[in-house]
Amino acid sequence: MAKANRVYYTKAPVTKNQEIEGEVVDITYQGMGVVKIENFPIFVSDAIPGEVVKVGITKVQKNFAFGRVVTRLKESPNRVKEVDQVAITTGIAPLANLKYEAQLAFKQQQVEQLFKKVNLDVTVNPTIGMENPTEYRNKAQVPVQEVNGRLETGFYRRGSHHLVPVEHFYIQDPKVDEAVTITRDILRELNISAYNEETKRGVVRHIMARRGFYSHELMVVIVTNTKRLPEAETIAEKLRAKLPELKSFIHNINNHDTNVIMGQWNETIWGADEIHDQLMNKDFVIGPNSFYQVNPQTTAKLYTLAAEKAELSSTDLVVDAYSGIGTITLSVADQVQKVYGVEVVEEAVEDAEKNARHNQIKNVEFIKADAPEQMMKWAAEGLKPNVVFVDPPRKGLTSELIQAVSAMNPETFVYISCNPATLARDAVEIIAEGFEIDGPVQPLDQFPQTTHVETVTVFKKQA
Ligand code: SAH
């Protein structure tokens, strides 16, 4: 994927309002096409690799510029003809203009290129995709704003807090979209105001809805800036009448001046405090603030594959680092002797422990700690797991963690990554510690229509 800040220019070779012609050679992390003039990158909305476009320059920065397509001189056969423009301009689905097969190929190539860049010769398998790569998200967090005197729900235009009204989010479960629009209509009917970030007046900031993919249990949360949600009981009655799947209706207060959507304070107005859903034969309890994978179908594929690659056996001692709510720990626990999870977010650890009890899983232990620190501690104490799983955030692993794993000397080290750039960087260090990559790197498409790509990579100690 293109990075803007590698080469430095004394003077940009383009100026604002100039028109240039060029071929699209890459896609950025935001899903924009990249056209290069004297190696200077121009980021162009709705332009895909292989296309030749006439571009009008809209903005020039020191090391890159932005442009828009004036004419498409050559169209890519991979272009989707009738594309949802809102999905693209808002950034909901920045790759929606690219045919799904091409999206999968692009993600595979991207992983290949990143390994090549660090001089590692690895085989990257074709990306495992979804059968239906739309309407997969089980959760929506939708901003609420007054637009032209009316309460609207939608999506912020890329890089702004300017709300574009949207009803169908293309990659979200249609039942989740429906729950949001029904809630919006009820708020309109009852004349409840939207919160205004500038004047700091008004009530509703966000609507959150999540629905169990397997359980079909639905939760609706209204996030307000005010302590009180007006007509809460009436809203509950109306929601119940229109949403037969509703299991939980919650009022959440967030009166902080921040981009964080949910506050810490919840009140259940109607129904249960939590909903349930199943993942890999385990039942998970999901509260309004709980983290839960947003694409349960691919998550199951991803973690099942990771567990298969680990070739687990009943005597194994396993470590799951960056364990979150314990999805990996709990799903492999039945197959092994014991699993330790380490995770830094306290609420996630509490959810993991709750889910262990709820599923009567006793051979697991979760530690709330910084993963590198805890791993070094375990290594120093002589903990010798047979298998280590890591599933770090985008910034990847640290040298301390890699050295701790090396000291633990497991038979198998499975790296689940959501950022192939840090994966490739870390792979160099892991190999320097005496490991080798075992079998092909496997990309999976956890977030179709976006530029994200997940991978599973297995490392084994060199013989
Ligand atoms: N497998 C997990 C998700 C992993 S996402 C699940 O299914 O729930 C990465 C996790 O790493 C997040 O839960 C994040 O809170 C955690 N994390 C981030 N930095 C960390 C650190 N320094 N130490 C431990 N955990 C960390």
Side-chain angles (χ1 to χ4, degrees), residues 431-454:
I431 289 167
E433 286 292 325
F435 288 88
E436 58 191 7
I437 295 182
D438 184 52
V441 173
Q442 179 64 62
L444 277 98
D445 196 18
Q446 173 100 306
F447 302 104
Q449 322 298 338
T450 77
T451 53
H452 292 275
V453 55
E454 316 286 307

PDB file of all heavy atoms in Angstrom, residues 431-454:
ATOM      1  N   ILE A 431      12.706 -14.292  12.799  1.00  0.00           N
ATOM      2  CA  ILE A 431      13.615 -15.195  12.095  1.00  0.00           C
ATOM      3  C   ILE A 431      15.043 -15.053  12.657  1.00  0.00           C
ATOM      4  O   ILE A 431      15.740 -16.047  12.854  1.00  0.00           O
ATOM      5  CB  ILE A 431      13.543 -14.942  10.573  1.00  0.00           C
ATOM      6  CG1 ILE A 431      12.183 -15.444  10.054  1.00  0.00           C
ATOM      7  CG2 ILE A 431      14.694 -15.634   9.831  1.00  0.00           C
ATOM      8  CD1 ILE A 431      11.818 -14.997   8.665  1.00  0.00           C
ATOM      9  N   ALA A 432      15.424 -13.818  12.973  1.00  0.00           N
ATOM     10  CA  ALA A 432      16.754 -13.587  13.562  1.00  0.00           C
ATOM     11  C   ALA A 432      16.894 -14.293  14.910  1.00  0.00           C
ATOM     12  O   ALA A 432      17.999 -14.614  15.352  1.00  0.00           O
ATOM     13  CB  ALA A 432      17.014 -12.093  13.715  1.00  0.00           C
ATOM     14  N   GLU A 433      15.757 -14.553  15.559  1.00  0.00           N
ATOM     15  CA  GLU A 433      15.766 -15.273  16.852  1.00  0.00           C
ATOM     16  C   GLU A 433      15.821 -16.788  16.657  1.00  0.00           C
ATOM     17  O   GLU A 433      15.675 -17.538  17.619  1.00  0.00           O
ATOM     18  CB  GLU A 433      14.528 -14.911  17.672  1.00  0.00           C
ATOM     19  CG  GLU A 433      14.565 -13.524  18.287  1.00  0.00           C
ATOM     20  CD  GLU A 433      15.620 -13.378  19.377  1.00  0.00           C
ATOM     21  OE1 GLU A 433      15.864 -14.350  20.114  1.00  0.00           O
ATOM     22  OE2 GLU A 433      16.212 -12.288  19.464  1.00  0.00           O
ATOM     23  N   GLY A 434      15.955 -17.234  15.404  1.00  0.00           N
ATOM     24  CA  GLY A 434      16.109 -18.669  15.164  1.00  0.00           C
ATOM     25  C   GLY A 434      14.835 -19.394  14.746  1.00  0.00           C
ATOM     26  O   GLY A 434      14.789 -20.625  14.736  1.00  0.00           O
ATOM     27  N   PHE A 435      13.789 -18.653  14.398  1.00  0.00           N
ATOM     28  CA  PHE A 435      12.571 -19.297  13.892  1.00  0.00           C
ATOM     29  C   PHE A 435      12.583 -19.285  12.363  1.00  0.00           C
ATOM     30  O   PHE A 435      13.334 -18.529  11.737  1.00  0.00           O
ATOM     31  CB  PHE A 435      11.323 -18.525  14.354  1.00  0.00           C
ATOM     32  CG  PHE A 435      11.003 -18.678  15.816  1.00  0.00           C
ATOM     33  CD1 PHE A 435      11.573 -17.817  16.756  1.00  0.00           C
ATOM     34  CD2 PHE A 435      10.126 -19.658  16.259  1.00  0.00           C
ATOM     35  CE1 PHE A 435      11.274 -17.936  18.111  1.00  0.00           C
ATOM     36  CE2 PHE A 435       9.816 -19.783  17.604  1.00  0.00           C
ATOM     37  CZ  PHE A 435      10.390 -18.913  18.533  1.00  0.00           C
ATOM     38  N   GLU A 436      11.736 -20.136  11.776  1.00  0.00           N
ATOM     39  CA  GLU A 436      11.508 -20.023  10.332  1.00  0.00           C
ATOM     40  C   GLU A 436      10.005 -20.053  10.068  1.00  0.00           C
ATOM     41  O   GLU A 436       9.236 -20.574  10.876  1.00  0.00           O
ATOM     42  CB  GLU A 436      12.233 -21.126   9.560  1.00  0.00           C
ATOM     43  CG  GLU A 436      11.834 -22.520   9.970  1.00  0.00           C
ATOM     44  CD  GLU A 436      12.761 -23.597   9.392  1.00  0.00           C
ATOM     45  OE1 GLU A 436      13.780 -23.249   8.781  1.00  0.00           O
ATOM     46  OE2 GLU A 436      12.447 -24.778   9.585  1.00  0.00           O
ATOM     47  N   ILE A 437       9.618 -19.468   8.927  1.00  0.00           N
ATOM     48  CA  ILE A 437       8.198 -19.458   8.583  1.00  0.00           C
ATOM     49  C   ILE A 437       7.838 -20.836   8.062  1.00  0.00           C
ATOM     50  O   ILE A 437       8.513 -21.382   7.193  1.00  0.00           O
ATOM     51  CB  ILE A 437       7.884 -18.357   7.550  1.00  0.00           C
ATOM     52  CG1 ILE A 437       8.143 -16.983   8.179  1.00  0.00           C
ATOM     53  CG2 ILE A 437       6.442 -18.470   7.050  1.00  0.00           C
ATOM     54  CD1 ILE A 437       7.838 -15.798   7.294  1.00  0.00           C
ATOM     55  N   ASP A 438       6.772 -21.414   8.623  1.00  0.00           N
ATOM     56  CA  ASP A 438       6.359 -22.767   8.286  1.00  0.00           C
ATOM     57  C   ASP A 438       5.125 -22.693   7.391  1.00  0.00           C
ATOM     58  O   ASP A 438       4.051 -22.327   7.848  1.00  0.00           O
ATOM     59  CB  ASP A 438       6.047 -23.510   9.595  1.00  0.00           C
ATOM     60  CG  ASP A 438       5.704 -24.966   9.356  1.00  0.00           C
ATOM     61  OD1 ASP A 438       6.502 -25.639   8.680  1.00  0.00           O
ATOM     62  OD2 ASP A 438       4.650 -25.413   9.829  1.00  0.00           O
ATOM     63  N   GLY A 439       5.311 -23.016   6.146  1.00  0.00           N
ATOM     64  CA  GLY A 439       4.175 -23.023   5.204  1.00  0.00           C
ATOM     65  C   GLY A 439       3.824 -21.625   4.759  1.00  0.00           C
ATOM     66  O   GLY A 439       4.424 -20.646   5.203  1.00  0.00           O
ATOM     67  N   PRO A 440       2.867 -21.519   3.859  1.00  0.00           N
ATOM     68  CA  PRO A 440       2.529 -20.201   3.314  1.00  0.00           C
ATOM     69  C   PRO A 440       1.866 -19.272   4.326  1.00  0.00           C
ATOM     70  O   PRO A 440       1.245 -19.737   5.289  1.00  0.00           O
ATOM     71  CB  PRO A 440       1.561 -20.513   2.170  1.00  0.00           C
ATOM     72  CG  PRO A 440       1.168 -21.928   2.323  1.00  0.00           C
ATOM     73  CD  PRO A 440       2.076 -22.602   3.280  1.00  0.00           C
ATOM     74  N   VAL A 441       2.026 -17.980   4.099  1.00  0.00           N
ATOM     75  CA  VAL A 441       1.308 -16.962   4.865  1.00  0.00           C
ATOM     76  C   VAL A 441      -0.113 -16.928   4.321  1.00  0.00           C
ATOM     77  O   VAL A 441      -0.319 -16.928   3.110  1.00  0.00           O
ATOM     78  CB  VAL A 441       1.998 -15.590   4.681  1.00  0.00           C
ATOM     79  CG1 VAL A 441       1.189 -14.479   5.312  1.00  0.00           C
ATOM     80  CG2 VAL A 441       3.418 -15.639   5.251  1.00  0.00           C
ATOM     81  N   GLN A 442      -1.101 -16.927   5.215  1.00  0.00           N
ATOM     82  CA  GLN A 442      -2.493 -17.006   4.757  1.00  0.00           C
ATOM     83  C   GLN A 442      -3.274 -15.726   5.042  1.00  0.00           C
ATOM     84  O   GLN A 442      -3.623 -15.457   6.195  1.00  0.00           O
ATOM     85  CB  GLN A 442      -3.199 -18.189   5.437  1.00  0.00           C
ATOM     86  CG  GLN A 442      -4.656 -18.334   5.040  1.00  0.00           C
ATOM     87  CD  GLN A 442      -4.830 -18.638   3.551  1.00  0.00           C
ATOM     88  OE1 GLN A 442      -4.360 -19.660   3.071  1.00  0.00           O
ATOM     89  NE2 GLN A 442      -5.482 -17.739   2.807  1.00  0.00           N
ATOM     90  N   PRO A 443      -3.567 -14.915   4.010  1.00  0.00           N
ATOM     91  CA  PRO A 443      -4.432 -13.746   4.237  1.00  0.00           C
ATOM     92  C   PRO A 443      -5.915 -14.117   4.276  1.00  0.00           C
ATOM     93  O   PRO A 443      -6.340 -15.042   3.587  1.00  0.00           O
ATOM     94  CB  PRO A 443      -4.149 -12.832   3.038  1.00  0.00           C
ATOM     95  CG  PRO A 443      -3.167 -13.549   2.177  1.00  0.00           C
ATOM     96  CD  PRO A 443      -3.062 -14.965   2.639  1.00  0.00           C
ATOM     97  N   LEU A 444      -6.651 -13.405   5.096  1.00  0.00           N
ATOM     98  CA  LEU A 444      -8.107 -13.578   5.187  1.00  0.00           C
ATOM     99  C   LEU A 444      -8.768 -12.214   5.119  1.00  0.00           C
ATOM    100  O   LEU A 444      -8.247 -11.240   5.648  1.00  0.00           O
ATOM    101  CB  LEU A 444      -8.516 -14.197   6.523  1.00  0.00           C
ATOM    102  CG  LEU A 444      -8.428 -15.712   6.643  1.00  0.00           C
ATOM    103  CD1 LEU A 444      -7.142 -16.068   7.323  1.00  0.00           C
ATOM    104  CD2 LEU A 444      -9.611 -16.223   7.416  1.00  0.00           C
ATOM    105  N   ASP A 445      -9.953 -12.196   4.513  1.00  0.00           N
ATOM    106  CA  ASP A 445     -10.640 -10.927   4.337  1.00  0.00           C
ATOM    107  C   ASP A 445     -11.689 -10.729   5.426  1.00  0.00           C
ATOM    108  O   ASP A 445     -12.854 -11.056   5.259  1.00  0.00           O
ATOM    109  CB  ASP A 445     -11.305 -10.896   2.964  1.00  0.00           C
ATOM    110  CG  ASP A 445     -11.687  -9.483   2.566  1.00  0.00           C
ATOM    111  OD1 ASP A 445     -11.153  -8.536   3.173  1.00  0.00           O
ATOM    112  OD2 ASP A 445     -12.507  -9.341   1.647  1.00  0.00           O
ATOM    113  N   GLN A 446     -11.231 -10.171   6.524  1.00  0.00           N
ATOM    114  CA  GLN A 446     -12.120  -9.957   7.671  1.00  0.00           C
ATOM    115  C   GLN A 446     -13.030  -8.743   7.440  1.00  0.00           C
ATOM    116  O   GLN A 446     -14.113  -8.671   7.997  1.00  0.00           O
ATOM    117  CB  GLN A 446     -11.218  -9.736   8.896  1.00  0.00           C
ATOM    118  CG  GLN A 446     -11.895  -9.347  10.158  1.00  0.00           C
ATOM    119  CD  GLN A 446     -12.065 -10.526  11.083  1.00  0.00           C
ATOM    120  OE1 GLN A 446     -12.607 -11.547  10.690  1.00  0.00           O
ATOM    121  NE2 GLN A 446     -11.604 -10.402  12.293  1.00  0.00           N
ATOM    122  N   PHE A 447     -12.568  -7.784   6.618  1.00  0.00           N
ATOM    123  CA  PHE A 447     -13.349  -6.572   6.370  1.00  0.00           C
ATOM    124  C   PHE A 447     -13.467  -6.281   4.875  1.00  0.00           C
ATOM    125  O   PHE A 447     -12.825  -5.375   4.356  1.00  0.00           O
ATOM    126  CB  PHE A 447     -12.707  -5.370   7.098  1.00  0.00           C
ATOM    127  CG  PHE A 447     -12.585  -5.588   8.570  1.00  0.00           C
ATOM    128  CD1 PHE A 447     -11.365  -5.904   9.145  1.00  0.00           C
ATOM    129  CD2 PHE A 447     -13.697  -5.501   9.398  1.00  0.00           C
ATOM    130  CE1 PHE A 447     -11.251  -6.141  10.511  1.00  0.00           C
ATOM    131  CE2 PHE A 447     -13.590  -5.727  10.762  1.00  0.00           C
ATOM    132  CZ  PHE A 447     -12.370  -6.053  11.316  1.00  0.00           C
ATOM    133  N   PRO A 448     -14.302  -7.081   4.173  1.00  0.00           N
ATOM    134  CA  PRO A 448     -14.505  -6.850   2.742  1.00  0.00           C
ATOM    135  C   PRO A 448     -14.922  -5.407   2.457  1.00  0.00           C
ATOM    136  O   PRO A 448     -15.572  -4.777   3.299  1.00  0.00           O
ATOM    137  CB  PRO A 448     -15.642  -7.809   2.390  1.00  0.00           C
ATOM    138  CG  PRO A 448     -15.536  -8.911   3.385  1.00  0.00           C
ATOM    139  CD  PRO A 448     -15.077  -8.249   4.657  1.00  0.00           C
ATOM    140  N   GLN A 449     -14.541  -4.920   1.306  1.00  0.00           N
ATOM    141  CA  GLN A 449     -14.835  -3.552   0.820  1.00  0.00           C
ATOM    142  C   GLN A 449     -13.968  -2.488   1.499  1.00  0.00           C
ATOM    143  O   GLN A 449     -14.098  -1.309   1.217  1.00  0.00           O
ATOM    144  CB  GLN A 449     -16.321  -3.136   0.976  1.00  0.00           C
ATOM    145  CG  GLN A 449     -17.359  -4.193   0.709  1.00  0.00           C
ATOM    146  CD  GLN A 449     -17.330  -4.725  -0.717  1.00  0.00           C
ATOM    147  OE1 GLN A 449     -16.834  -4.058  -1.629  1.00  0.00           O
ATOM    148  NE2 GLN A 449     -17.831  -5.926  -0.911  1.00  0.00           N
ATOM    149  N   THR A 450     -13.097  -2.910   2.423  1.00  0.00           N
ATOM    150  CA  THR A 450     -12.162  -1.965   3.028  1.00  0.00           C
ATOM    151  C   THR A 450     -10.741  -2.454   2.716  1.00  0.00           C
ATOM    152  O   THR A 450     -10.568  -3.564   2.221  1.00  0.00           O
ATOM    153  CB  THR A 450     -12.302  -1.890   4.554  1.00  0.00           C
ATOM    154  OG1 THR A 450     -11.673  -3.041   5.133  1.00  0.00           O
ATOM    155  CG2 THR A 450     -13.749  -1.823   4.994  1.00  0.00           C
ATOM    156  N   THR A 451      -9.737  -1.637   3.031  1.00  0.00           N
ATOM    157  CA  THR A 451      -8.366  -2.018   2.698  1.00  0.00           C
ATOM    158  C   THR A 451      -7.716  -2.915   3.759  1.00  0.00           C
ATOM    159  O   THR A 451      -6.564  -3.292   3.620  1.00  0.00           O
ATOM    160  CB  THR A 451      -7.501  -0.756   2.512  1.00  0.00           C
ATOM    161  OG1 THR A 451      -7.651   0.052   3.671  1.00  0.00           O
ATOM    162  CG2 THR A 451      -7.932   0.034   1.299  1.00  0.00           C
ATOM    163  N   HIS A 452      -8.451  -3.244   4.819  1.00  0.00           N
ATOM    164  CA  HIS A 452      -7.870  -4.093   5.869  1.00  0.00           C
ATOM    165  C   HIS A 452      -7.612  -5.513   5.369  1.00  0.00           C
ATOM    166  O   HIS A 452      -8.374  -6.026   4.568  1.00  0.00           O
ATOM    167  CB  HIS A 452      -8.813  -4.183   7.063  1.00  0.00           C
ATOM    168  CG  HIS A 452      -8.957  -2.896   7.784  1.00  0.00           C
ATOM    169  ND1 HIS A 452      -8.080  -2.501   8.766  1.00  0.00           N
ATOM    170  CD2 HIS A 452      -9.845  -1.906   7.648  1.00  0.00           C
ATOM    171  CE1 HIS A 452      -8.441  -1.311   9.212  1.00  0.00           C
ATOM    172  NE2 HIS A 452      -9.518  -0.931   8.545  1.00  0.00           N
ATOM    173  N   VAL A 453      -6.558  -6.123   5.896  1.00  0.00           N
ATOM    174  CA  VAL A 453      -6.328  -7.543   5.624  1.00  0.00           C
ATOM    175  C   VAL A 453      -5.714  -8.207   6.852  1.00  0.00           C
ATOM    176  O   VAL A 453      -4.842  -7.657   7.516  1.00  0.00           O
ATOM    177  CB  VAL A 453      -5.460  -7.741   4.349  1.00  0.00           C
ATOM    178  CG1 VAL A 453      -4.151  -6.985   4.421  1.00  0.00           C
ATOM    179  CG2 VAL A 453      -5.205  -9.214   4.083  1.00  0.00           C
ATOM    180  N   GLU A 454      -6.243  -9.385   7.171  1.00  0.00           N
ATOM    181  CA  GLU A 454      -5.720 -10.163   8.308  1.00  0.00           C
ATOM    182  C   GLU A 454      -4.875 -11.293   7.734  1.00  0.00           C
ATOM    183  O   GLU A 454      -5.135 -11.766   6.634  1.00  0.00           O
ATOM    184  CB  GLU A 454      -6.865 -10.821   9.096  1.00  0.00           C
ATOM    185  CG  GLU A 454      -8.052  -9.954   9.374  1.00  0.00           C
ATOM    186  CD  GLU A 454      -7.801  -8.915  10.432  1.00  0.00           C
ATOM    187  OE1 GLU A 454      -7.352  -9.281  11.514  1.00  0.00           O
ATOM    188  OE2 GLU A 454      -8.064  -7.734  10.163  1.00  0.00           O
TER     189      GLU A 454
END
